[in-house]
Amino acid sequence: MAGGSFAPAGVAKDRAEQYEGKVTAYVIIACIVAAVGGSIFGYDIGISGGVTSMNSFLKKFFPSVYAKKMHSHENNYCKFNDQGLAAFTSSLYLAGLVATLFASPVTQTYGRRVSIVCGGISFLVGAALNAAAVDFPMLLFGRIMLGVGIGFGNQAIPLYLSEMAPTHLRGGLNIMFQLATTLGIFSANMINYGTSKLDQWGWRLSLGLAAAPALLMTFGGILLPETPNSLIEQGSKEKGRKVLERIRGTQHVDAEFEDMIDASELANSIKHPFRNILEKRNRPQLVMAICMPMFQILTGINSILFYAPVLFQSMGFEGNASLYSSALTGAVLALSTLVSIATVDRLGRRVLLIGGGIQMIICQVIVGIILGFKFGNDQELSEGYSIVVVVVICLFVAAFGWSWGPLGWTVPSEIFPLDTRSAGQSITVAVNLFFTFIIAQCFLSLLCGLKFGLFMFFAGWITVMTIFVYVFLPETKGVPIEEMMLMWQSHWFWKKIISENLEEEESYVRQRDSLELTQHAH
């Protein structure tokens, strides 16, 4: 930094008001095609719960669970408690966790599209193995390949959407990923409802149809343009500018292009992004990359979506009724995500996160109270209370769908500077999949041990995360992606941590320049 001048890491020049451009059909189509990759994640969440409640699947791979299920006087909360069954669901998320760490350097070095294509191909292989599975090891290996696909896809797609979208619509377009996820869940629930009627091979059809969204993701990745941010980071500045002009619909993109150049120069000077992300100046982003996905899972949503058919069967719903109820929750989730797309860039992220949190707390407490007083070890809920539970669970799912569901992905994907963006997204995905794995592996045991208290457990966590957002998360609505550092520097809490770091770096720069002047004098 010649002449002793100092600039904080990230883009420090406020050029946001100079950004030009409009919403083009090109950027909308690119975002929709990319977001389809989110459907593989959703399809798997939806399909797993349905398949694990099918008798033909349980008889083939989990005969002990099938035997327990057939005992009508079995403890309601414990009839599906089996670590092998939990491993079937959770192995995918452990594989995804490992895969996303490998996906980070691929995404940064070769671009977002390459990771999307890698994810699609891995998921295709996993779908084929699961549909053809003849024993548990083959089934498990297929799940691991699906996990690799999800690890790559979830790492690259939110980054792609955040970088392609214009600033004023970034929230809505980024939520396309969550919308695709919810549509994947709904599609899976409807497919399970149909295939449950096919006695011996319905589960094979359910698992094999995962190839459909994987094909869309693979061909979408091949046909999509690379993001201008990624092209510039790879040294293709002219190509990056042409893509930027095309997606913004104007040649007047100098301000945004300069921000990308500045961010790229800084990014290319960083050799170890994972080490760099631990520096004090990146502390707020790191905290959000860990806390947002962790809190998203600790809402308890995945336990409801994974095991909705199992949960409803435990409450006394018949087989088809339980699948129908879980299809209903899938539809509610998809529709509520549209609410988020319509309001996130108008109301902002904080309003939706806090409002959704309050609604989810109320719903979890109501379900916990009903199950606590009206649902014992060997009794069924009355029809009236069963309907109330389903309605309240739908209200819970709706609140998640317009708040923590989409924004748990959107916020972390938009807050990192380019030099740590890929590494930051990997941490977000890894934390998400780690807690998904923990909840998937432990949920059936927690349900058996805590019983109705499990819903109070999740309500407690939602209270914590709602307070966290109120205190620590600044509003990112309307802030250009390459100027996020300015937002952290103005936040009441984070500016103290960042300013300490800036003072240390400024002191270092002054000492270095003083030393250089002394050496020149001699």
Side-chain angles (χ1 to χ4, degrees):
M1 299 172 192
S5 64
F6 177 79
V11 175
K13 297 175 183 174
D14 191 354
R15 302 189 183 100
E17 293 183 4
Q18 301 171 38
Y19 280 25
E20 293 187 38
K22 57 189 178 184
V23 182
T24 60
Y26 187 72
V27 78
I28 297 289
I29 291 168
C31 287
I32 290 171
V33 172
V36 164
S39 63
I40 67 170
F41 191 34
Y43 187 87
D44 183 79
I45 289 172
I47 219 72
S48 299
V51 164
T52 52
S53 69
M54 292 182 189
N55 288 340
S56 56
F57 178 80
L58 291 175
K59 268 195 281 190
K60 184 169 183 64
F61 296 106
F62 306 99
S64 62
V65 179
Y66 177 72
K68 277 199 286 185
K69 182 183 174 184
M70 293 298 105
H71 291 167
S72 58
H73 296 295
E74 182 74 42
N75 183 318
N76 275 320
Y77 289 106
C78 301
K79 63 172 78 170
F80 289 94
N81 186 19
D82 181 86
Q83 287 303 301
L85 184 61
F88 164 75
T89 301
S90 61
S91 57
L92 178 148
Y93 303 100
L94 194 59
L97 190 162
V98 175
T100 192
L101 300 177
F102 288 98
S104 175
V106 173
T107 305
Q108 184 157 6
T109 307
Y110 301 105
R112 288 42 168 159
R113 290 172 60 230
V114 171
S115 280
I116 293 172
V117 172
C118 286
I121 292 170
S122 299
F123 207 84
L124 268 174
V125 173
L129 286 170
N130 272 353
V134 293
D135 53 25
F136 185 70
M138 187 173 176
L139 189 73
L140 203 59
F141 185 61
R143 295 288 293 172
I144 289 168
M145 289 305 296
L146 293 177
V148 172
I150 283 174
F152 272 83
N154 284 15
Q155 203 277 340
I157 293 167
L159 285 190
Y160 186 92
L161 296 173
S162 282
E163 291 180 346
M164 290 292 279
T167 298
H168 66 290
L169 286 180
R170 189 179 60 242
L173 289 175
N174 198 297
I175 291 170
M176 292 283 189
F177 176 74
Q178 177 68 10
L179 178 63
T181 301
T182 61
L183 290 173
I185 292 169
F186 178 65
S187 302
N189 286 331
M190 296 311 295
I191 287 167
N192 278 338
Y193 184 63
T195 57
S196 64
K197 297 179 174 68
L198 306 172
D199 191 30
Q200 293 304 314
W201 54 277
W203 63 268
R204 291 191 186 276
L205 186 59
S206 285
L207 295 175
L209 283 173
L215 278 170
L216 288 172
M217 177 175 167
T218 305
F219 286 111
I222 292 168
L223 298 172
L224 288 172
E226 186 55 86
T227 70
N229 312 61
S230 182
L231 288 169
I232 293 166
E233 189 178 12
Q234 294 169 51
S236 304
K237 292 182 182 178
E238 285 305 311
K239 195 173 178 184
R241 180 168 182 120
K242 284 179 183 174
V243 171
L244 183 62
E245 289 175 355
R246 191 172 181 187
I247 63 177
R248 297 293 178 258
T250 178
Q251 293 185 334
H252 305 295
V253 293
D254 292 342
E256 191 170 1
F257 185 66
E258 284 302 315
D259 272 353
M260 289 180 183
I261 294 287
D262 289 352
S264 172
E265 288 173 356
L266 176 66
N268 289 328
S269 70
I270 303 297
K271 301 303 178 192
H272 304 287
F274 277 104
R275 191 186 304 164
N276 195 54
I277 210 170
L278 298 175
E279 291 181 5
K280 196 177 280 187
R281 63 185 170 82
N282 289 318
R283 192 63 45 79
Q285 298 97 313
L286 179 61
V287 169
M288 294 301 159
I290 293 170
C291 289
M292 294 298 288
M294 177 184 77
F295 286 149
Q296 185 192 53
I297 302 306
L298 288 173
T299 58
I301 187 68
N302 280 20
S303 57
I304 286 173
L305 297 179
F306 281 149
Y307 297 111
V310 170
L311 198 62
F312 288 130
Q313 276 190 23
S314 292
M315 291 175 193
F317 286 71
E318 293 301 318
N320 279 349
S322 70
L323 285 170
Y324 187 73
S325 299
S326 58
L328 177 64
T329 59
V332 169
L333 185 60
L335 290 171
S336 60
T337 305
L338 295 173
V339 174
S340 190
I341 290 174
T343 58
V344 67
D345 288 309
R346 223 172 42 244
L347 300 178
R349 283 63 160 159
R350 281 169 53 86
V351 170
L352 295 182
L353 287 167
I354 293 168
I358 292 168
Q359 184 172 324
M360 285 191 287
I361 293 165
I362 295 168
C363 292
Q364 289 278 28
V365 169
I366 291 172
V367 172
I369 290 171
I370 290 174
L371 296 186
F373 284 101
K374 298 294 179 182
F375 185 60
N377 284 338
D378 56 359
Q379 66 190 89
E380 294 186 357
L381 280 178
S382 67
E383 185 178 347
Y385 279 112
S386 294
I387 291 169
V388 172
V389 167
V390 172
V391 168
V392 175
I393 284 177
C394 284
L395 288 172
F396 169 83
V397 168
F400 178 84
W402 54 259
S403 62
W404 279 92
L407 296 176
W409 291 108
T410 298
V411 171
S413 74
E414 66 183 2
I415 59 175
F416 281 93
L418 186 61
D419 58 302
T420 55
R421 191 171 298 152
S422 185
Q425 185 64 16
S426 277
I427 291 171
T428 299
V429 176
V431 171
N432 181 285
L433 293 176
F434 174 73
F435 279 92
T436 303
F437 166 75
I438 294 295
I439 293 295
Q441 192 65 35
C442 298
F443 175 72
L444 294 175
S445 297
L446 285 170
L447 182 63
C448 183
L450 294 176
K451 300 179 172 58
F452 65 89
L454 182 60
F455 294 90
M456 300 301 181
F457 170 80
F458 287 128
W461 276 109
I462 301 168
T463 304
V464 170
M465 65 187 74
T466 303
I467 294 168
F468 174 86
V469 167
Y470 182 79
V471 175
F472 294 113
L473 181 68
E475 182 54 68
T476 59
K477 178 186 74 172
V479 181
I481 194 168
E482 302 300 359
E483 294 186 2
M484 285 288 173
M485 189 57 76
L486 299 171
M487 175 193 71
W488 298 112
Q489 289 168 3
S490 61
H491 185 265
W492 74 271
F493 177 79
W494 298 116
K495 70 180 178 182
K496 299 173 190 172
I497 294 172
I498 294 173
S499 63
E500 285 175 15
N501 182 72
L502 294 183
E503 286 169 10
E504 289 170 9
E505 291 192 23
E506 284 178 321
S507 175
Y508 167 76
V509 170
R510 282 195 295 270
Q511 288 174 9
R512 185 198 64 192
D513 290 350
S514 175
L515 184 62
E516 286 176 358
L517 286 171
T518 306
Q519 288 171 343
H520 284 305
H522 289 296

